[in-house]
């Protein structure tokens, strides 16, 4: 099968597009035939060396976000069958999504919503699961609460705005001014152009902060929360001292696969409450260009690769 692998860590030059042996699913695994794979910043961060910190073993087939059909199921798999259209977030401990075929566990995938094509649904899992687990599982965001979402035009932030609105929250979003129309179209109630004003001077008494930016944006977010509020970030560990000073809970999360949560997300997709945004679609052979675009930070929406 065609796939993109890395045998060492480094820049885009370490990406190798070649034919490798097609994997065989174990009794509790599923082999997916991938029609689309999404590019995420974590992909090139792993390529740059983060994979070593994660304990991944080289060579690595990159990519964790896939959409396609089921090619084969192990003997112990009951809920999925060959030919089923699916999507999900898969582990790189097996082989990743930058390939024609990928091994997945049943709890990493979910049925593809009929309303979305494969390119669109390939852009769902990471952003939606990250936002769900941050806002609902960790921060316990409730109907009627106020939430500040930083980096709201990004892949995760744009999903977070939509999910928070679906929950019934009042959403305050930060992004650059050029993205205001886009972010408001997602459902943001209030918009702050971070290039023109400091959000902490305008935003106060929020129940939850969901930070997708990090650095000083994260540090300045503490002051926007009510006492007893919650700050969740996906970028860097928050300061325990600042959390104690402001009387809030603060934590960093990493996304986890969840087929069950994807099925709940499917209901929002079917109801028209969650939409995806595609920046560009490229063949798998142009993975270097895809990583270059992702690393530039100038794309709005997901970059999709076609493995076949």
């Amino acid at each position: 099968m065609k796939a993109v692998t890395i045998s060492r860590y480094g820049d885009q030059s370490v990406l190798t597009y070649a034919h490798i042996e097609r994997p065989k699913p174990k009794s509790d695994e599923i082999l997916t035939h991938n029609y689309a794979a999404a590019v995420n910043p974590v992909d090139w961060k792993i390529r740059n060396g983060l994979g070593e910190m994660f304990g991944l073993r080289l060579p690595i087939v990159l990519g964790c976000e896939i959409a396609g059909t089921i090619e084969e199921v192990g003997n112990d798999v009951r809920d999925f069958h060959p030919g089923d259209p699916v999507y999900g977030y898969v582990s790189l401990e097996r082989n990743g999504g930058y390939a024609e075929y990928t091994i997945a566990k049943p709890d990493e995938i979910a049925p593809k919503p009929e309303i979305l094509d494969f390119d669109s649904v390939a852009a769902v899992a990471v952003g939606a699961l990250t936002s769900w687990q941050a806002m609902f599982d960790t921060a316990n965001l409730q109907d009627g609460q106020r939430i500040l979402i930083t980096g709201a035009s990004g892949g995760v932030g744009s999903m977070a705005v939509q999910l928070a609105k679906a929950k019934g929250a009042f959403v305050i979003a930060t992004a650059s001014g050029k993205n205001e129309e886009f972010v408001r179209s997602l459902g943001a109630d209030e918009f702050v152009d971070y290039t023109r004003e400091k959000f902490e001077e305008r935003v106060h008494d929020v129940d939850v902060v969901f930070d997708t930016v990090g650095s000083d944006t994260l540090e300045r977010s503490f002051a926007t929360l009510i006492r007893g509020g919650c700050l969740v970030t996906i970028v860097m560990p928050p300061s325990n001292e600042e959390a104690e000073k402001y009387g809030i809970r603060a934590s960093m999360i990493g996304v986890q696969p969840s087929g069950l949560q994807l099925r709940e997300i499917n209901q929002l997709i079917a109801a028209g409450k969650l939409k995806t945004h595609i920046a560009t679609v490229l063949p798998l052979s142009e993975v270097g260009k895809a990583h270059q675009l992702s690393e530039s930070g100038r794309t709005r929406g997901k970059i999709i690769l076609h493995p076949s």
Side-chain angles (χ1 to χ4, degrees):
M1 68 173 184
K2 289 176 285 189
V4 170
T5 64
I6 60 168
S7 297
R8 58 188 175 88
Y9 296 113
D11 61 17
Q12 294 153 21
S13 66
V14 305
L15 296 166
T16 302
Y17 175 69
H19 285 268
I20 64 172
E21 185 177 353
R22 193 172 94 174
K24 179 76 174 175
K26 297 177 182 177
S27 62
D28 63 342
E29 294 178 339
I30 294 166
L31 183 69
T32 64
H33 183 189
N34 303 329
Y35 299 156
V39 175
N40 289 282
V42 71
D43 298 346
W44 48 264
K45 290 177 183 178
I46 287 172
R47 185 208 72 208
N48 280 343
L50 190 62
E52 187 171 14
M53 184 183 300
F54 286 170
L56 299 176
R57 296 176 60 184
L58 295 167
I60 299 168
V61 177
L62 293 172
C64 57
E65 201 167 16
I66 62 163
T69 57
I70 292 178
E71 183 75 11
E72 185 180 347
V73 299
N75 293 332
D76 297 333
V77 175
R78 296 290 178 264
D79 294 336
F80 294 97
H81 305 89
D84 288 350
V86 296
Y87 77 108
Y89 169 62
V90 298
S91 171
L92 292 186
E93 292 179 356
R94 296 178 295 277
N95 76 294
Y98 289 7
E100 289 186 275
Y101 298 90
T102 296
I103 295 292
K105 294 280 191 179
D107 61 355
E108 295 175 340
I109 60 175
K112 181 184 81 69
E114 292 183 4
I115 195 173
L116 295 182
D117 59 23
F118 286 104
D119 287 351
S120 297
V121 81
V124 171
V126 168
L129 285 175
T130 303
S131 300
W132 187 286
Q133 291 165 15
M135 297 189 302
F136 305 152
D137 293 348
T138 304
N140 193 30
L141 180 68
Q142 298 295 311
D143 180 11
Q145 288 189 323
R146 289 160 51 84
I147 182 172
L148 170 66
I149 299 171
T150 64
S153 64
V156 175
S158 60
M159 284 287 183
V161 170
Q162 296 177 80
L163 287 173
K165 282 304 296 179
K167 189 73 169 180
F170 183 91
V171 178
I172 306 167
T174 74
S176 64
K178 66 180 181 180
N179 289 314
E180 179 173 1
E181 183 178 350
F182 168 65
V183 172
R184 287 191 180 275
S185 75
L186 301 175
D189 297 288
E190 190 174 328
F191 180 86
V192 181
D193 179 356
Y194 73 86
T195 68
R196 298 175 64 90
E197 60 181 317
K198 294 181 177 180
F199 64 83
E200 71 274 20
E201 293 180 354
R202 187 169 122 194
V203 180
H204 305 285
D205 299 326
V206 297
D207 301 280
V208 175
V209 168
F210 180 32
D211 169 63
T212 73
V213 179
S215 192
D216 72 319
T217 298
L218 168 62
E219 295 168 4
R220 292 186 285 122
S221 297
F222 284 94
T224 67
L225 283 153
I226 62 169
R227 294 193 72 82
C230 182
L231 184 153
V232 188
T233 178
I234 58 171
V235 184
M236 56 190 287
S239 166
N240 292 330
E241 291 77 12
E242 288 293 289
E244 185 175 347
K245 171 185 171 182
Y246 286 99
I248 64 155
R249 293 186 295 121
S251 59
M252 176 183 175
I253 71 148
V255 62
Q256 299 298 318
S258 176
L260 181 62
Q261 289 178 345
L262 288 177
R263 289 173 186 267
E264 294 187 65
I265 289 163
N266 281 353
Q267 297 178 28
L268 296 176
I269 293 171
K273 295 182 177 180
L274 194 66
K275 299 176 182 179
T276 60
H277 303 272
I278 306 300
T280 189
V281 179
L282 297 168
L284 185 60
S285 58
E286 294 187 27
V287 64
K289 179 179 179 181
H291 274 214
Q292 184 178 19
L293 287 170
S294 180
E295 290 181 73
S296 75
R298 298 189 182 96
T299 58
R300 188 172 74 189
K302 278 294 182 73
I303 300 164
I304 302 296
L305 297 171
H306 280 180
S308 56

